[in-house]
Amino acid sequence: MKYIDSSLVEKRMNKRILKNNLSKILFLLATLFGLVVLVILIMRVLIEGLKWVNFDFLTGKLSTNAEQAGIMGAILGSLWLMLVVIVCTMIIGVGAAIYLELYAKKGKLNSLIQTNIANLAGVPSIVYGILGMTLFVRALDLGNIVLAGGLTLSLLVLPIVIVAAQEALRSVPNSLSEASYGMGATKWQTIKRIILPAALPGILTGAILALSRAIGETAPLVVIGIPALIIPFPGSIFDKFTTLPMQIYYWTLDSSLVAEYANLAAATIIVLLILLFMLNATAIFIRNKYQQRF
Amino acid sequence: MDHNVNQESINVQELIQQKSMSQKVSHKIGKMIPSILFLFAAVSILTTVGIIYTLLSEAIEFFKIVPIWEFFSSTTLKPLSQNPEFGILPLINGTIISSIIAILVAGPVGLMAAVYLSEYASDRVRRLLKPTLEVLAGIPTVVYGFFAFTFVTPIIRSVWPDVEATNILSPGIVMGIMIIPMIASLSEDALTSVPNTIREGALSLGATKLETTFKVVIPAALSGVIASFVLAISRAIGETMIVTIASGSSKNFTFDITESMQTMTAYIVEVSSGDAAAGTPIYYSIYAVAIALFVMTFVMNLLARAISRRFREEY
């Protein structure tokens, strides 16, 4: 007498195993979906824009005439903006991280600041734009210049920099700072000469990633009020400016009026993506080359 | 100091004094450092205060002109007409519908990707696929807007001709693609943190990998998975450029996804880039809309944190 009907078991098992194997393929496809979209997106941009990327386009001035339009002004605007953002976030972000990690006493104030930073990271970028417009452009009366845009974007990415710098500082082992104290160094000397250098690669990686977030932002700048067409190139942080994402935005919007604007937008996207790629490659390079394992 | 050695008069006393002077200075600096650094840390608090103060103070001006209950209950939004009407419901409607479309795309795809990465993929495959997904998260949103407007919309229109040139469907889908990495990576973290003993228990009872995943691992990691969904929705609510570019500026209160709808973020962009003179109701209205947006995303973020904290199972 058989207690187990093996044919029945096999029938049921086969079904379950088949389901299992099919779902594995489905899950793989879902994972690859993102990759496929990425490839399509990049292909699409290259097909539309690659022909338009040439020396005249990169060095020329903005123009309503699609054939003559160049994006030198937008490139310079983005670079000036990067300068303001990197200076502000490195000083304020790293300073705040040092305070929170190494000086602040664990208590209510510290956890309030920490929670606050976590919450700020979730605030939509356009809200920062409104803050920037109200505070920097109108109240401080800076106007829509590089400095105002840079300060706004700095506030936007500051939480990212602070969190990354805190993690980098935390990963420096205590034995290093204890050795420094043991040699008679003060706290600030220890931080300046031992902890900061050891944490620097991690801090820089985080700062560069935050910078690449800032450089791709459009919404806060639209709110601040960057006009569509600026002919003179920005020469300092007090000049009016436009950026690569802003040009992509305006050209995409107007592509239903002038078909060539879509090509200009695509060409500008290529330039922006190359810039972002270089930033990220630098971050990865720093992380791999200088990051010490303790 | 080598050259000093050969000189005849080395004033040791002076050197000691110099040294102690410089030590005093550096001691003083060391004492000032914490307060300076505290100021930097306080910038984050000031930012929050700044956001809340500017939004509130200007929104209060707005609610002096437009009653608050009318603003939050009216379905007509005509800011530019002769007799302007300000009802936020069309914008909230557009925001919610675009976010629902996004989460319908990103939820299943992101979760399945998370399951694949944490349960099925070998270490090598995971190390290859994860960074690629993160590239997707690093692409500027304006690029996604371009993609939605010039690529996805035409494709949808060729299959479904009723769809308008600017519609909420296409940006919703593209926004979904944008938040896939977020759901995939956060959910994967949650799934990976489920200890192997639990999986082994299920597998040894004869469950297949699929059954183990859906009946044991995902329920154990549910809080993290839900938190990732909530965070992704919050991100979709705050997303601006994709909807601004691809969904147009129709302020109709409708549920038809083939039509143009405006989200709260897109309204703010439209008004603030249209040179609204300071002091007019339309200018103040963006602050009122921004408050609603801020509160919505803030509540979602708090919710995500509360979920992942409260329902976390300790192993």
Side-chain angles (χ1 to χ4, degrees):
Chain A
M1 186 179 153
K2 269 186 172 172
Y3 289 105
I4 298 173
D5 183 352
S6 62
S7 70
L8 192 69
V9 171
E10 207 166 288
K11 215 174 112 192
R12 283 201 183 158
M13 267 319 279
N14 279 345
K15 217 169 142 193
R16 286 168 63 197
I17 290 173
L18 182 72
K19 238 188 194 172
N20 185 47
N21 292 341
L22 283 180
S23 63
K24 184 181 172 178
I25 298 172
L26 182 67
F27 296 159
L28 177 61
L29 289 179
T31 316
L32 293 179
F33 177 73
L35 190 65
V36 171
V37 173
L38 187 66
V39 171
I40 295 176
L41 193 152
I42 291 176
M43 286 301 293
R44 172 81 191 164
V45 168
L46 286 179
I47 291 170
E48 289 256 301
L50 198 56
K51 266 193 233 152
W52 290 71
V53 182
N54 54 37
F55 185 74
D56 287 340
F57 176 71
L58 292 176
T59 56
K61 287 181 174 177
L62 290 169
S63 163
T64 46
N65 184 340
E67 302 291 335
Q68 292 173 356
I71 53 166
M72 193 61 192
I75 295 176
L76 287 175
S78 282
L79 292 179
W80 277 114
L81 205 60
M82 275 169 73
L83 183 74
V84 176
V85 172
I86 197 83
V87 169
C88 288
T89 54
M90 278 305 266
I91 295 174
I92 301 175
V94 176
I98 293 175
Y99 177 79
L100 292 172
E101 272 308 303
L102 302 166
Y103 282 103
K105 294 185 183 68
K106 301 279 169 264
K108 271 196 183 147
L109 183 66
N110 193 25
S111 67
L112 175 78
I113 297 180
Q114 296 281 11
T115 322
N116 181 52
I117 290 170
N119 285 334
L120 278 180
V123 173
S125 60
I126 194 159
V127 174
Y128 285 96
I130 292 182
L131 176 68
M133 188 236 321
T134 318
L135 185 64
F136 301 129
V137 177
R138 301 213 171 167
L140 297 182
D141 207 16
L142 291 174
N144 42 14
I145 58 171
V146 176
L147 184 64
L151 290 175
T152 308
L153 293 181
S154 298
L155 291 183
L156 171 70
V157 297
L158 208 50
I160 308 176
V161 179
I162 295 178
V163 170
Q166 273 185 288
E167 265 167 31
L169 291 172
R170 219 175 294 150
S171 71
V172 178
N174 270 338
S175 55
L176 281 187
S177 41
E178 275 158 15
S180 171
Y181 291 134
M183 301 292 282
T186 63
K187 185 159 190 171
W188 177 238
Q189 283 171 329
T190 306
I191 291 172
K192 204 169 58 177
R193 295 181 194 165
I194 306 293
I195 301 180
L196 263 187
L200 198 61
I203 294 175
L204 279 181
T205 311
I208 293 175
L209 292 181
L211 190 63
S212 64
R213 162 94 195 272
I215 217 63
E217 272 298 342
T218 322
L221 296 181
V222 182
V223 176
I224 283 180
I226 308 298
L229 203 63
I230 297 175
I231 299 298
F233 295 159
S236 79
I237 58 170
F238 299 107
D239 286 344
K240 288 178 185 272
F241 72 113
T242 181
T243 66
L244 293 168
M246 288 302 298
Q247 282 314 309
I248 297 170
Y249 169 57
Y250 285 129
W251 275 327
T252 307
L253 272 190
D254 292 342
S255 66
S256 40
L257 306 175
V258 184
E260 281 82 16
Y261 282 176
N263 300 95
L264 288 177
T268 315
I269 289 175
I270 294 174
V271 176
L272 177 65
L273 289 183
I274 290 175
L275 186 65
L276 287 175
F277 177 78
M278 289 193 319
L279 279 175
N280 282 285
T282 316
I284 293 170
F285 175 76
I286 291 175
R287 187 165 60 196
N288 291 345
K289 177 135 182 155
Y290 297 103
Q291 191 94 300
Q292 286 165 289
R293 300 245 170 258
F294 299 105
Chain B
M1 292 287 186
D2 273 350
H3 55 280
N4 277 358
V5 179
N6 295 335
Q7 285 172 5
E8 280 168 32
S9 59
I10 302 170
N11 197 337
V12 179
Q13 289 265 297
E14 203 173 283
L15 281 178
I16 291 177
Q17 213 162 24
Q18 269 175 11
K19 184 74 186 165
S20 81
M21 279 289 278
S22 80
Q23 259 178 355
K24 260 183 205 157
V25 171
S26 76
H27 186 70
K28 262 188 192 157
I29 293 176
K31 278 209 155 165
M32 271 158 58
I33 292 284
S35 5
I36 296 172
L37 293 178
F38 173 75
L39 288 181
F40 291 145
V43 169
S44 77
I45 299 274
L46 290 180
T47 309
T48 310
V49 173
I51 289 174
I52 293 174
Y53 174 77
T54 45
L55 293 190
L56 272 182
S57 62
E58 307 278 20
I60 285 172
E61 292 299 317
F62 176 74
F63 289 129
K64 280 181 191 160
I65 307 165
V66 178
I68 191 163
W69 54 267
E70 187 190 315
F71 180 66
F72 282 106
S73 64
S74 166
T75 57
T76 12
L77 180 62
K78 286 180 185 157
L80 291 170
S81 79
Q82 285 283 319
N83 301 305
E85 282 185 71
F86 293 95
I88 197 181
L89 286 184
L91 301 179
I92 291 185
N93 181 51
T95 304
I96 292 177
I97 287 180
S98 60
S99 304
I100 290 176
I101 298 172
I103 203 69
L104 286 179
V105 173
V109 178
L111 184 58
M112 284 196 283
V115 167
Y116 183 81
L117 288 173
S118 104
E119 307 296 313
Y120 290 87
S122 66
D123 242 15
R124 246 185 66 205
V125 174
R126 183 179 22 238
R127 246 178 294 160
L128 195 75
L129 285 178
K130 259 197 111 168
T132 338
L133 269 181
E134 270 151 29
V135 172
L136 213 53
I139 288 186
T141 54
V142 69
V143 176
Y144 281 114
F146 171 82
F147 187 61
F149 189 60
T150 66
F151 185 70
V152 178
T153 302
I155 286 184
I156 296 176
R157 271 158 67 94
S158 67
V159 222
W160 189 2
D162 290 352
V163 174
E164 291 170 21
T166 52
N167 59 80
I168 200 75
L169 180 61
S170 156
I173 293 172
V174 173
M175 221 151 66
I177 293 169
M178 183 193 75
I179 57 178
I180 286 174
M182 194 171 183
I183 293 185
S185 133
L186 291 175
S187 296
E188 196 224 330
D189 289 345
L191 294 176
T192 324
S193 70
V194 174
N196 261 335
T197 49
I198 292 187
R199 283 189 193 88
E200 283 154 5
L203 289 171
S204 65
L205 285 171
T208 63
K209 203 156 197 177
L210 178 70
E211 290 157 357
T212 310
T213 304
F214 275 89
K215 293 182 180 162
V216 178
V217 180
I218 291 184
L222 199 60
S223 63
V225 172
I226 294 178
S228 81
F229 276 51
V230 176
L231 276 181
I233 295 173
S234 153
R235 177 79 194 277
I237 290 174
E239 169 44 42
T240 310
M241 294 323 290
I242 303 176
V243 277
T244 305
I245 292 174
S247 182
S249 56
S250 154
K251 294 164 186 63
N252 293 336
F253 186 79
T254 166
F255 296 104
D256 185 355
I257 55 170
T258 65
E259 283 180 28
S260 157
M261 288 182 205
Q262 195 165 40
T263 63
M264 296 190 275
T265 50
Y267 176 79
I268 297 172
V269 166
E270 191 201 355
V271 171
S272 59
S273 57
D275 290 329
T280 55
I282 186 167
Y283 167 80
Y284 286 128
S285 72
I286 62 172
Y287 291 92
V289 173
I291 275 201
L293 176 69
F294 179 77
V295 169
M296 272 170 92
T297 52
F298 186 71
V299 167
M300 295 295 254
N301 290 338
L302 284 189
L303 193 67
R305 219 171 309 147
I307 291 171
S308 67
R309 203 181 306 137
R310 172 160 298 195
F311 300 108
R312 179 176 296 152
E313 290 189 43
E314 300 288 347
Y315 298 107

